[in-house]
Amino acid sequence: MTSHWQQRRSGGPSNRPGDLRTPWQRDRARVLHSAAFRRLQSKTQIMNVGENDFYRTRLTHSLEAAQIGASLINQLQQVCAEHEAQYLPDLNLMETLCLAHDIGHPPFGHGGEAALHFKMLGSGGFEGNGQTFRIVGKLEAYHPEHGMDLTRRSLLGLLKYPVLMPALEVPKNISHPGSLAKWKPAKALFACDSDLLDWVLEPLSTADRELFQAVDKLAEAPWQKSKHKALDASLMELADDIAYGVHDLEDAVVTGTLSESQWHAHVDKVIDQLPTELAQLMQELGEQLFAREHHQRKNAIGSLVNIFVTQVRLEEVLPEADEPLIRYNATLPDAEAYLLKSLKDVVFEHVINEPSIQQLRYRSQNMLLDLFTALHTEPLRLLPRNTRERWQKASAEQGQQAADRILCDYVAGMTDDYAERMYRNLFVV
């Protein structure tokens, strides 16, 4: 791999004296030992933290995604042509991306994300993947200016959406958003981090960059959809989707949130659309998934993951691009891609859309809205000292939008437990 993808923005030496680790091993260690990664242990995946000690958190989800990511690399190394396999990420790099992919998510999952986006409409918006990029590139404490100071290739791999947030409409005379559904955040980076994005994409030619950052314009929120991602990001996203569609499905089955009748009502129609051999396998795995014996369920979960891992392939999605890291993506054949989407739909419909989960999400969203309002109204009274100092400096030197971003960084970094405790301290008598 060419040296510019191993560079760090600080320009510092690649290794400490006597340190024989590769750049990717160092990146993995920086993520693993970061405060942002530790906080994932108390952030919601789907079911609220603390509701049950079995539920997956953002931390366990990220660990499972990392394991699946490593399996995808092992598979591709065996089946890809040599000229394609040379572009695959190192196992340590793959794990780095999967471990880090969720560290920008705020408390209370996507509900918290929508609440913060609404509060930040006048200051550049909020989006979890954009916050991940900001944390690794600017906020974590490994470097005074460059966050974790990861390699350029690691940062490229974390760009699920390598575009900037579009201009946002700021609502007039609205103190509360009502339904947050109409305020969906664009999947994008924040304009204030454009310098970091420019540095990451610097090795691309002008033509490649224009191809890579193409977007589809949408008529309503979130207003745009980016069309491309790099090879490493496509592998990370696939590992994330498999972990979500299969392992979160296990949570739903074990806790009784998804019943066997609901499974059949949704999945039987899907199975009818699959090739015969895959359809027969899914029938068998559906029976095992709801069997009384726990080992059969675990076998079904492992077999579901295996379906997707063993069918992964590299595809030229931008054949006109000069840079191989954006020319190729990891993809699934149509049947397996349809099955994975269907499993994710099951989790969404019968878990995320479950009224009890939505009631918790509604409560959590409103807590975060009130918490942000209080901190925004009285920052000098309510912010902790170190955050208050950064807020004051940003306000004096860069203005209100920069100060709001500091405040947003603070709220987004909270765990579910911390946010709830602060809310109780401020509002509960």
Side-chain angles (χ1 to χ4, degrees), residues 36-52 54-62 64 101-113 128 240 244 248 251 347 351-353 356-365 367-368 411-420:
F37 180 73
R38 290 196 300 276
R39 291 189 184 105
L40 295 178
Q41 66 187 304
S42 189
K43 287 195 176 186
T44 292
Q45 171 63 11
I46 292 179
M47 300 173 182
N48 276 31
V49 172
E51 293 293 313
N52 187 301
F54 176 82
Y55 295 168
R56 286 167 167 88
T57 64
R58 290 272 177 194
L59 179 66
T60 56
H61 164 77
S62 297
E64 288 171 338
H101 82 280
D102 265 354
I103 61 175
H105 276 268
F108 311 127
H110 289 291
E113 180 184 51
D240 182 24
Y244 170 63
D248 289 347
D251 277 3
V347 174
V351 182
I352 295 176
N353 263 358
S356 61
I357 299 295
Q358 285 302 313
Q359 289 163 14
L360 284 171
R361 175 173 286 193
Y362 181 81
R363 170 181 174 271
S364 300
Q365 282 178 334
M367 284 172 52
L368 214 58
V411 177
M414 294 179 180
T415 63
D416 294 18
D417 293 339
Y418 185 90
E420 190 147 0

Side-chain angles (χ1 to χ4, degrees), residues 78-104:
Q78 301 299 318
V79 301
C80 283
E82 186 175 344
H83 75 278
E84 294 177 332
Q86 65 178 315
Y87 304 125
L88 291 172
D90 173 271
L91 283 174
N92 289 285
L93 172 55
M94 189 73 257
E95 290 193 0
T96 298
L97 303 180
C98 292
L99 292 173
H101 82 280
D102 265 354
I103 61 175

Side-chain angles (χ1 to χ4, degrees), residues 146-356:
H146 305 308
M148 293 186 196
D149 198 26
L150 302 181
T151 57
R152 183 182 264 119
R153 181 164 179 177
S154 289
L155 291 173
L156 179 71
L158 288 170
L159 289 176
K160 286 180 71 172
Y161 315 104
V163 295
L164 297 177
M165 190 78 70
L168 300 172
E169 177 187 353
V170 181
K172 296 178 180 178
N173 302 319
I174 297 180
S175 58
H176 193 281
S179 173
L180 284 167
K182 61 183 177 181
W183 304 110
K184 289 181 181 178
K187 302 297 185 181
L189 309 177
F190 311 134
C192 59
D193 298 324
S194 61
D195 58 324
L196 180 58
L197 176 62
D198 288 340
W199 181 81
V200 173
L201 301 184
E202 189 178 293
L204 300 184
S205 67
T206 300
D208 275 6
R209 180 162 176 171
E210 288 179 358
L211 282 170
F212 185 54
Q213 293 189 286
V215 298
D216 286 328
K217 298 292 185 181
L218 306 178
E220 55 187 24
W223 311 114
Q224 72 178 24
K225 181 180 180 182
S226 62
K227 299 173 71 171
H228 303 295
K229 57 182 61 68
L231 167 61
D232 301 350
S234 72
L235 281 158
M236 175 264 286
E237 185 172 50
L238 181 55
D240 182 24
D241 284 350
I242 294 171
Y244 170 63
V246 178
H247 289 300
D248 289 347
L249 174 70
E250 182 182 14
D251 277 3
V253 172
V254 172
T255 59
T257 309
L258 176 69
S259 68
E260 189 169 4
S261 61
Q262 289 171 325
W263 165 264
H264 285 295
H266 193 107
V267 176
D268 286 355
K269 294 178 289 187
V270 173
I271 290 174
D272 290 341
Q273 306 299 315
L274 298 176
T276 304
E277 188 174 339
L278 182 56
Q280 183 177 348
L281 176 59
M282 284 302 300
Q283 290 279 15
E284 296 170 2
L285 295 181
E287 294 174 7
Q288 292 180 26
L289 197 60
F290 292 92
R292 290 181 177 272
E293 297 84 359
H294 290 179
H295 71 275
Q296 291 199 48
R297 185 189 72 246
K298 296 304 291 187
N299 179 68
I301 292 298
S303 296
L304 285 170
V305 173
N306 185 68
I307 288 172
F308 306 115
V309 169
T310 56
Q311 293 302 310
V312 67
R313 62 191 182 184
L314 287 191
E315 181 181 350
E316 279 192 298
V317 292
L318 279 176
E320 62 271 49
D322 293 326
E323 173 54 61
L325 291 185
I326 67 169
R327 188 189 315 147
Y328 292 98
N329 270 191
T331 63
L332 292 174
D334 289 345
E336 285 75 13
Y338 172 61
L339 176 59
L340 180 55
K341 180 184 181 302
S342 300
L343 293 181
K344 290 167 61 183
D345 289 345
V346 171
V347 174
F348 181 82
E349 181 58 36
H350 295 291
V351 182
I352 295 176
N353 263 358
E354 174 68 24
S356 61

